[in-house]
Amino acid sequence: MTIKESKTINTFIISIISAFLLTMFILPLLYGISGSLKSKEQLSSLNHSPIPQSQKKFNYNGKDCEIFLVPQEDGSKVPLAIVKKGRDKSVFVDPKNPKAGEITWNGKWRNLESEWTTDFQFVNYKKGWVAVNFLRLFKNTLFYAIITTFGTLFSSTLVAYGFSRFRFPGRSQFFLILIATIVLPSAVTLIPVYTIFYKIGWVGTWLPLIVPHFFANAYNVFLLRQFMLGIPKEMDEAARIDGCGPIATLYKVILPQCIPSVISVGLFHFFWAWNDYFNPLLYLAGHPEKYPISIGLSTFSNMYSTETHLVQAVSMIACVVPFIIFVVAQKFFMEGVVVSGVEK
Amino acid sequence: MIKKLRANGIQNWEKKWGLIFIAPWLIGFTVFYLGPMVASFIFSFFDYNLIQPEATAFVAGENWKRAFLDDPIVIKSIAHILQYTMISLPISFCFSLLVAVLLNSRYLLGKKLFRALFYLPSMIPFVASVLIWQGIMNEQTGWFNLILQNAGFPGIRWLASTRWIYISYTLIGIWGCGNTILIFLAGLQGVPKELYEAATIDGANSWQRLKAVTIPMMTPVIFYNVLISVISLMQFFLTPMVINNGSGFPNGMTNFPMVYFYRQAFSYFNMGYGAVIAWVIFFVGMIFTLILFGTQSKWVYYAGDKK
């Protein structure tokens, strides 16, 4: 075997394994698409085709008659529409030639094979959209995600700048505490924080979800600081000689250099907020008009647990915007993960 | 003299501006972390119900005694999350490593497309992904059981049997592996090529190279990911809440610490007892973190001993 041949074989094997693994990996997504396009009857029907199908029908004398594959004496099967169902014999017509009259066939029609035709239930999407009031969920989620992304970027940049560019007493101790808060389970602070928000009447409003993000997030500060440390200090000094104060230096010198990491941090936060389930559940319970997508979806699935097709349709709708963001900002996502995960 | 004064001036200037810039975090830390942590500790010694604040009473160690001695659910929920961690962590790590090795292979065609498609499910909103998996695991109409039945096997009660529940939850979580895959991939790309060449010259086959070169070189990345995963698993909440509203079905197996905490503190408003459960979650996470750091020198390999 030549080297070239063995290389081709390796390429083939590796690519096939990867393709198989990928198919398994995204199989549930394919199920979701399939399930969202079926009706409740199609889902529980014995026809398990992934492509939504219904039994073909033929309109005969103003009545929809199901079409079955009826075996003939010569062994072939002919699609015929059933007109009158009987126990041991039924009456059919030939949909291609209905004028030829009714045909009586001896045998049990229940044992006959049906003729199927594709039948997508796009109406599920419309029904699901209306039932969860998706537009409202979407607006709420977008509002929450955008305003807190702004808040955390604004405050975390300031704090990261403070930690990376200025010497002050206790800096390294403060930074250590900041890192420690990353691994602190939120449960430990939750009850008093909730109590405060309850006492000042903020429970049931957006405020407890938004305000804390304007006080910097430890993880974001860490990432931004790492990036800022890589910017040469001479640049700040040059700016200072040109008469820039520390704030002007931040937005004229440091920020333009940090754009990629700011975008990564912003995207990660945006995505986190888009998914946030715990905080809205805690602070918005009982206020459906303020629910984000996460709570709206889970409430819907609890209420309509038997309507799998609608639950799947709504889940698919929820994927659309994140997928679009992914396609547009793929580079920032994938690079951001690597920066945050490896360079620690 | 003037020089010294100027140096002092710069120092004071730096001090002032440094503190101004980190002020948002200092304030946030005091209001949302430090204060609440102290308060949470104090709450744990009180019978405190937010709905009836007038009935608040000091109960000394009653809540702590209840959590460790009288209420078996707290200990059980910890045991459940440890059990789940032992199952889900190895499975999702092996899967992520396998995918990363494939994506890193020089033989793979269409690398970029594969990488994007393996990452894509990570973008699906978590609640939606749980609902999609719940659908495919449906006992009657889900594809998993239909595939099994077509192959002649009996169907599995994915989300209702105590034997399968953690496997099912692990599968549901597998779409979250996108980040781990990418981090492992970057780790693999960081392994120096010379090491592989040297191993090949010494006659190592690809399995031996994986065992002797790739995995040791990857241990720092694995270490970081184990740490992050354990911390987030201690707060595992969304999946059991979405699937059965935190009821613990089947047989309390999905009654994880965070779920129980939420129920005690925010359904029954037993906030004193809730605070104790929160501290239990904290201590268990802490013990794990310490164990990980303590055993680090035994299994994490830092090339050139750099930290």
Side-chain angles (χ1 to χ4, degrees), chain A residues 144-160:
Chain A
Y144 176 43
I146 287 179
I147 198 162
T148 60
T149 302
F150 171 75
T152 198
L153 281 181
F154 180 72
S155 55
S156 304
T157 316
L158 290 180
V159 175

Side-chain angles (χ1 to χ4, degrees), chain B residues 110-157:
Chain B
K111 259 183 203 181
K112 278 196 173 153
L113 184 66
F114 267 110
R115 199 180 62 172
L117 286 175
F118 270 112
Y119 192 77
L120 184 74
S122 307
M123 299 300 300
I124 297 174
F126 300 150
V127 175
S129 88
V130 171
L131 296 178
I132 295 169
W133 279 90
Q134 210 181 354
I136 201 171
M137 285 175 171
N138 184 301
E139 284 170 36
Q140 280 86 37
T141 62
W143 282 3
F144 281 176
N145 274 2
L146 291 180
I147 292 171
L148 282 176
Q149 278 154 11
N150 275 336
F153 296 102
I156 289 172
R157 306 184 64 212

Side-chain angles (χ1 to χ4, degrees), chain A residues 25 28 31 167 183 188 195 275, chain B residues 14 40 48 125-126 132 175 231:
Chain A
F25 191 56
Y31 163 85
R167 273 164 298 168
V183 295
V188 174
T195 308
N275 269 309
Chain B
E14 276 207 43
S40 168
Y48 165 56
F126 300 150
I132 295 169
W175 273 358
I231 291 163

